[in-house]
Amino acid sequence: MRLSTRTLEGLYALFLLLPFLFTLGVFFLYAFLRAFYFGFTDYNLFAPPKWIGLSNYLRLFQDPLFLTALKHTLIYSVIVTALQTFFALLLAVALNRPLRGVTFFRTLYYLPSVVSTAAASLLLLWLFQRTGLVNQNLTLFLAHLPHLLAFALLFLGLQTLQVAWKRRQRRAGFWDPALAILSALGAFFGTYALALFGFLKPLGLRVEIPWLPTRATFLGLPYPLWAIILMNTYTTIPTFMVLFLAGLKGIPRTLYEAAALDGASPWVMFTRITVPLLRPVLFLVITLGLIGTLQLFDQVLFVGGSGGAPLESTITLAFYVYNNAFPSGAQPRVGLASAAALFLAGLTLFIVLLQRRFGVSERGWS
């Protein structure tokens, strides 16, 4: 029997899709169905599963550790998604200008995103040690705070005097670059002279904040989780910056030229042209950010293991699943871990749909 051309093309397409379909069926669909079944059972990997109905889901909300993980996950997701979206957009707008050497800076700013999670986590551990670079810089900043305040006051005073003098002859703005350079030089030498004659002395302060092995909180989140927030925001901004750059390249320059001819300010052009035309990219960035942050796991594993951070300070929903499926020195609770995994999947879907309905959608603001 001779097959038609359309049938042959369909068979070729199916043949090319077979590796993907096999991976999707075994590692996603089959795994999801097994997890769905285990979520209603008491299973420890060694004995046959025992059907217990909704008991695992009820136990989740009776477990203080799960509630802590849920709180950490939601707050972390909101903060990181907002920060990485905001700064990625600003960075993309800054690098979209026709400046000399802009390709070099695009490459430079993209480098943090190619660093592996393991390497970034080790770098975080080194930076946030009790005697790490973060505490050393805080010590240096606070010790020389009198010098910085003196420099700021001298700069403001010199700048005010210069602007007042220039305005007698012509109109001059307070932040005129030429005047600001002179004021900065004068403030620098003035601060140096005050320190040289003993009027300014460094403060005897030493900062040794235990960023990682602590349960102390700031704005409701433990210090170790704030360290992870800073690291993840820094390493994910470049990826989203590239997406925003691609979106900015699709905006016709004629729109900005027409707005400039009508007297529109840069802020008006940004809010009335750039942001509205970037709504599809914003939807993609926010959606990817939410999905990625809700599944935070590997940094928690590194910081909690190598960094010695308490479990209650860093635990997220994804790590809660892992910690129940592969506990240290205890029997696995696969049923509870499966229930938590399904709850995380449902929560992710719900938040993404909520964002699409009440936040930024691919067609604009909802």
Side-chain angles (χ1 to χ4, degrees), residues 48-343:
K50 180 182 177 182
W51 185 268
I52 57 174
L54 295 173
S55 297
N56 284 325
Y57 293 93
L58 297 176
R59 286 175 60 190
L60 286 178
F61 292 95
Q62 296 171 355
D63 186 356
L65 198 59
F66 173 81
L67 298 177
T68 301
L70 177 60
K71 171 189 171 185
H72 287 173
T73 301
L74 292 176
I75 298 178
Y76 170 87
S77 180
V78 171
I79 292 176
V80 174
T81 302
L83 290 177
Q84 66 191 12
T85 303
F86 176 75
F87 287 109
L89 178 57
L90 289 187
L91 196 57
V93 171
L95 294 179
N96 193 43
R97 300 178 181 277
L99 301 175
R100 180 176 297 178
V102 70
T103 304
F104 168 76
F105 288 104
R106 289 176 183 172
T107 305
L108 184 66
Y109 290 138
Y110 185 72
L111 286 178
S113 67
V114 303
V115 177
S116 68
T117 303
S121 299
L122 291 176
L123 180 62
L124 179 142
L125 294 178
W126 174 65
L127 289 174
F128 286 92
Q129 291 295 324
R130 187 181 290 270
T131 57
L133 193 61
V134 172
N135 281 342
Q136 290 180 17
N137 286 335
L138 285 175
T139 299
L140 189 65
F141 173 78
L142 293 176
H144 291 88
L145 194 58
H147 301 77
L148 296 174
L149 292 175
F151 176 86
L153 291 174
L154 287 173
F155 173 82
L156 292 175
L158 292 173
Q159 188 74 356
T160 302
L161 290 175
Q162 286 195 94
V163 170
W165 175 260
K166 286 293 182 181
R167 282 181 177 174
R168 296 176 57 186
Q169 306 170 3
R170 60 179 177 85
R171 184 181 180 87
F174 186 81
W175 297 109
D176 185 281
L179 301 181
I181 292 174
L182 293 176
S183 298
L185 288 174
F188 172 78
F189 287 112
T191 305
Y192 180 78
L194 290 174
L196 187 64
F197 290 104
F199 293 102
L200 292 175
K201 295 181 180 180
L203 301 177
L205 298 175
R206 184 174 182 84
V207 178
E208 291 187 356
I209 300 175
W211 292 99
L212 301 180
T214 182
R215 289 183 173 85
T217 61
F218 175 71
L219 297 180
L221 283 183
Y223 284 171
L225 205 57
W226 279 111
I228 295 175
I229 286 174
L230 293 176
M231 184 198 72
N232 270 8
T233 302
Y234 175 71
T235 55
T236 53
I237 283 175
T239 302
F240 295 135
M241 175 198 73
V242 173
L243 296 178
F244 280 126
L245 273 174
L248 289 170
K249 293 299 181 184
I251 300 177
R253 299 298 307 173
T254 53
L255 295 177
Y256 295 104
E257 294 170 0
L261 290 175
D262 289 338
S265 64
W267 174 252
V268 171
M269 286 189 282
F270 177 75
T271 55
R272 300 296 178 88
I273 298 177
T274 303
V275 173
L277 293 179
L278 281 179
R279 284 169 181 167
V281 183
L282 273 171
F283 171 74
L284 176 63
V285 167
I286 294 175
T287 302
L288 292 177
L290 288 172
I291 294 173
T293 52
L294 288 171
Q295 296 175 354
L296 174 69
F297 167 74
D298 37 9
Q299 292 89 347
V300 174
L301 181 63
F302 279 105
V303 173
S306 303
L311 180 63
E312 297 83 357
S313 296
T314 58
I315 190 166
T316 58
L317 287 178
F319 191 80
Y320 181 87
V321 174
Y322 173 84
N323 194 52
N324 280 282
F326 306 101
S328 177
Q331 276 196 344
R333 293 182 290 180
V334 178
L336 190 64
S338 300
L342 290 173
F343 176 84

Side-chain angles (χ1 to χ4, degrees), residues 340-353:
L342 290 173
F343 176 84
L344 175 58
L347 178 67
T348 304
L349 180 62
F350 173 75
I351 290 179
V352 171
L353 293 176

